[in-house]
Amino acid sequence: QAVGRLRPGATATQASTEIDAVFQSYMSGQGTDMSALRREYFAHLQALPAARGMDTLRTRFGTPLSGLAVVSGLVLLIACANLGSLLLVRGTGRAREIAIRLAAGASRGRLVRQMLAETTVLFIVGAGVGIALAPAAISGLTGFFAVGRMPLHVDATLNWRLTAAAAGVALVAALSTGLWPALRVVGRDPRMAATDGRQLTASARTNAATRALVVAQIAMALVLVVTAVVFAKTIVNLRDVDLGFRQTRILTMSVNPMRPDDTPADESARFWTDVLDRVRTVAGADRASLSVMTPLSGRDSQTGIDVPGFEPQSADDRLIHLNHVSDGYFQTYGIPIVRGRGFTTEDKRTRSPVIVINETAAKAYFNGRNPIGAYVRFGSSDPYEIIGVAGDSKHASVRDVTPRFVFAPLWRPVRNLFPRLTLSVALDRSSPGFTHLITDQVHAVRSTALVSDVVTLDDQIDATLVSERLVATLALAFAALALGLAAIGIYGVLAHSVAGRRVEFGIRSALGASPRRLAAAVLGPVTIDVLLGTALGLPLSILAVTLARTLLFDVQPGDAGSYLMGAAVLALVAAATAARPLYRAWSTDPAATLRAE
């Protein structure tokens, strides 16, 4: 990684041109075929602005957060459609008021402005509640990132820019939502309000408009529900992946003895041996080991390997991931030794250094041959004897294919020993007090030792799934919100319809209509709306899942079960919403209704 400062008057384009020329000159002077490296890594150097830092957060979280921004926009559209349908219903009830005011000389523009002002007040109140809840929501979101050995501390706070943006969105949504219902209500002929037949015709047009908005809500809600279902399946599938190691009740911590640079090697080795011996005596500590890296820690190291009888086809074939571990490492993590054996304390006294490789490396380098007893080299190192083959386990990510891996002993490192190591302790029970007990044992060996990055393996796994958990959690929250809004829209329209047809239901009941016929009269339009919304929402759901396929795991865009589940959830919500209006239709008293009319 390199950072430079531009000279006054220079541009990033000029800098890119100059540094790429230097890079191309270097590559051409290597005397070997670099095309494979160019294809796999990079072919040019380019200068980019460093104002936003040099990290991979944008690459890692840009796509998920952009998708969630689209989802939040859909929720806002559902809310606007919901309120628009309710305003249309409310406007129908105010038809006589509007007609009287128009007849009294009020201008249509003044009435439209009044109705827009009323709608804007609703949105201002809603935006105020949202801004009040925003700090808690922001805290919850940033908490997703602050897990694992390398937590991401995102500085996201509510400021005037976000507040102004929220207010602007609320204002635009209010004006857009309230304008159409206001124009439809005010645009009627005031003389129609006094004519029952014409009033029924106007109400029919209003009902068609409100039902169209309900259908749109159902379609968009189905998209969000299906999206939430596929992301929930992704999380379940990732959790079900066989990681190849024990996942629970393992505590990890970084230990730095803080020794001077000229400390003799035997004194350093004695420190680590004493630490292991003391930690293993702690009651409740089932196993303990030391290593440079741990599974899913975010750290990685590779080295070149020479295997007798293996002919590499590319430069990448000679690379193998490397970890230095102590005896007991495989037992601590529950990684099985499928052939040969693991490291023991007796290996410290052998003259020949030994290593353990994983199954993927054994298959790649030995092609069915028995690797036990074979000798390999790492560059110009002494030959290392393979004494065991460990089961495959995930290293960088739950999604990744298991790479080729070699485990070397800490006491005979392939490279110089690192100044700090990771202490892993497998516990036989869960208890927060273990951290202090183990830390005390480390400090008993050397009081100046630095113990940091204390995390459980569960937290490390969660850290690797942070983007998936974030997307799944927010998708579920947005889907629940969308279902709630759709339910409110369906209920409002249906309740208004039942209230407007109370005379009809009274007459039908008086004439002996059965509850089944009344139910068909009430639920028929709702059923049609749900079917239309589902038919419209399914293609949109397929498109949304297809666009989000890079975020999914073991879930295909053509998974019919996800769409059926989403449609079923939506149908159940619609049925539950229609229950109360249906009960009101059933309980209509014919005599009381006709007397009132």
Side-chain angles (χ1 to χ4, degrees):
Q1 294 179 334
V3 178
R5 184 179 295 277
L6 292 175
R7 296 191 184 96
T11 65
T13 302
Q14 294 172 338
S16 295
T17 302
E18 293 188 22
I19 62 175
D20 190 54
V22 175
F23 173 69
Q24 300 302 333
S25 175
Y26 166 79
M27 294 292 280
S28 62
Q30 294 305 301
T32 58
D33 182 15
M34 306 297 288
S35 58
L37 292 177
R38 286 176 179 267
R39 284 195 305 269
E40 186 166 355
Y41 297 101
F42 51 86
H44 297 278
L45 289 185
Q46 181 182 4
L48 298 174
R52 294 181 176 179
M54 187 160 52
D55 56 54
T56 60
L57 291 183
R58 191 172 306 279
T59 302
R60 184 178 178 187
F61 296 106
T63 300
L65 292 179
S66 298
L68 289 172
V70 174
V71 170
S72 63
L74 281 178
V75 174
L76 181 60
L77 285 177
I78 294 174
C80 291
N82 182 286
L83 188 59
S85 63
L86 296 179
L87 288 175
L88 275 175
V89 171
R90 183 170 181 267
T92 301
R94 299 176 65 184
R96 185 176 296 275
E97 172 199 340
I98 299 298
I100 293 174
R101 296 182 66 177
L102 287 173
S107 66
R108 298 182 186 275
R110 180 174 182 179
L111 292 177
V112 169
R113 289 195 299 272
Q114 176 189 336
M115 298 182 74
L116 285 179
E118 294 172 354
T119 306
T120 303
V121 170
L122 293 177
F123 273 85
I124 289 176
V125 173
V129 174
I131 292 174
L133 297 176
I138 292 174
S139 176
L141 287 177
T142 54
F144 273 93
F145 302 95
V147 295
R149 185 168 297 281
M150 293 184 290
L152 307 175
H153 299 287
V154 182
D155 182 17
T157 55
L158 186 65
N159 51 45
W160 68 268
R161 294 182 180 87
L162 290 176
T163 305
V169 170
L171 179 61
V172 171
L175 296 178
S176 302
T177 302
L179 183 60
W180 181 51
L183 291 176
R184 285 186 62 89
V185 172
V186 176
R188 295 171 181 162
D189 188 340
R191 292 172 297 181
M192 283 185 171
T195 305
D196 291 342
R198 291 178 180 176
Q199 181 64 28
L200 287 173
T201 304
S203 297
R205 290 199 299 267
T206 300
N207 288 339
T210 54
R211 289 183 63 183
L213 290 174
V214 169
V215 169
Q217 293 180 60
I218 293 172
M220 289 184 286
L222 179 61
V223 174
L224 296 183
V225 172
V226 170
T227 304
V229 169
V230 296
F231 281 128
K233 284 187 174 182
T234 292
I235 286 294
V236 172
N237 292 339
L238 288 171
R239 291 292 188 184
D240 288 342
V241 169
D242 182 10
L243 302 181
F245 55 83
R246 174 182 174 180
Q247 303 176 38
T248 59
R249 295 203 303 273
I250 292 185
L251 187 66
T252 69
M253 59 188 71
S254 179
V255 179
N256 189 333
M258 304 299 289
R259 59 180 181 271
D261 294 336
D262 57 352
T263 301
D266 57 345
E267 182 179 336
S268 298
R270 188 162 52 252
F271 167 80
W272 296 116
T273 300
D274 292 345
V275 166
L276 269 185
D277 290 342
R278 294 187 68 94
V279 169
R280 287 169 176 170
T281 63
V282 174
D286 188 24
R287 303 278 185 174
S289 62
L290 293 164
S291 60
V292 173
M293 300 179 296
T294 56
L296 305 179
S297 64
R299 302 179 62 190
D300 195 18
S301 177
Q302 296 186 66
T303 187
I305 185 172
D306 295 311
V307 181
F310 173 75
E311 293 295 333
Q313 301 300 313
S314 65
D316 184 63
D317 288 344
R318 293 189 62 255
L319 291 178
I320 189 170
H321 295 259
L322 170 67
N323 193 9
H324 291 88
V325 302
S326 71
D327 58 284
Y329 174 83
F330 300 107
Q331 293 86 344
T332 300
Y333 282 93
I335 299 175
I337 301 296
V338 298
R339 183 177 294 181
R341 63 178 180 85
F343 299 126
T344 66
T345 55
E346 298 298 324
D347 291 321
K348 295 181 180 180
R349 290 181 280 275
T350 59
R351 306 189 65 179
S352 174
V354 294
I355 57 171
V356 173
I357 60 175
N358 69 347
E359 289 182 285
T360 298
K363 293 175 184 177
Y365 294 128
F366 293 93
N367 193 25
R369 295 181 291 124
N370 185 5
I372 304 301
Y375 286 84
V376 300
R377 290 180 181 271
F378 304 97
S380 59
S381 71
D382 294 333
Y384 280 74
E385 180 187 0
I386 299 177
I387 61 170
V389 177
D392 285 339
S393 58
K394 300 291 184 178
H395 173 65
S397 168
V398 176
R399 292 174 176 264
D400 291 346
V401 177
T402 303
R404 299 184 296 271
F405 232 100
V406 59
F407 301 90
L410 286 172
W411 51 88
R412 293 294 297 270
V414 174
R415 297 174 179 170
N416 291 333
L417 197 59
F418 293 84
R420 63 184 175 91
L421 295 174
T422 299
L423 173 64
S424 302
V425 184
L427 308 174
D428 60 10
R429 61 183 183 277
S430 299
S431 173
F434 277 120
T435 299
H436 299 291
L437 292 175
I438 296 170
T439 302
D440 290 343
Q441 297 301 322
V442 175
H443 289 154
V445 179
R446 178 171 295 169
S447 60
T448 58
L450 174 63
V451 178
S452 59
D453 300 334
V454 181
V455 295
T456 64
L457 194 58
D458 289 320
D459 288 339
Q460 285 192 186
I461 296 173
D462 285 343
T464 64
L465 301 176
V466 60
S467 59
E468 290 86 352
R469 292 189 302 111
L470 175 67
V471 171
T473 302
L474 292 184
L476 288 171
F478 283 136
L481 183 58
L483 284 174
L485 290 172
I488 292 173
I490 294 173
Y491 177 82
V493 173
L494 189 58
H496 178 266
S497 175
V498 170
R501 299 170 65 186
R502 64 186 183 279
V503 175
E504 173 192 343
F505 292 134
I507 295 174
R508 287 191 176 198
S509 297
L511 295 176
S514 65
R516 179 179 300 179
R517 288 185 176 274
L518 291 178
V522 173
L523 299 181
V526 176
T527 303
I528 294 175
D529 292 345
V530 172
L531 291 176
L532 290 175
T534 302
L536 180 62
L538 278 177
L540 297 176
S541 301
I542 295 173
L543 176 62
V545 175
T546 302
L547 293 176
R549 62 185 180 275
T550 57
L551 302 176
L552 306 178
F553 181 79
D554 203 19
V555 179
Q556 301 302 322
D559 179 23
S562 300
Y563 304 104
L564 291 176
M565 187 179 299
V569 170
L570 200 58
L572 288 174
V573 170
T577 303
R580 182 171 177 79
L582 178 60
Y583 174 76
R584 293 185 63 184
W586 277 342
S587 59
T588 301
D589 185 352
T593 302
L594 294 176
R595 280 197 303 270
E597 290 297 320

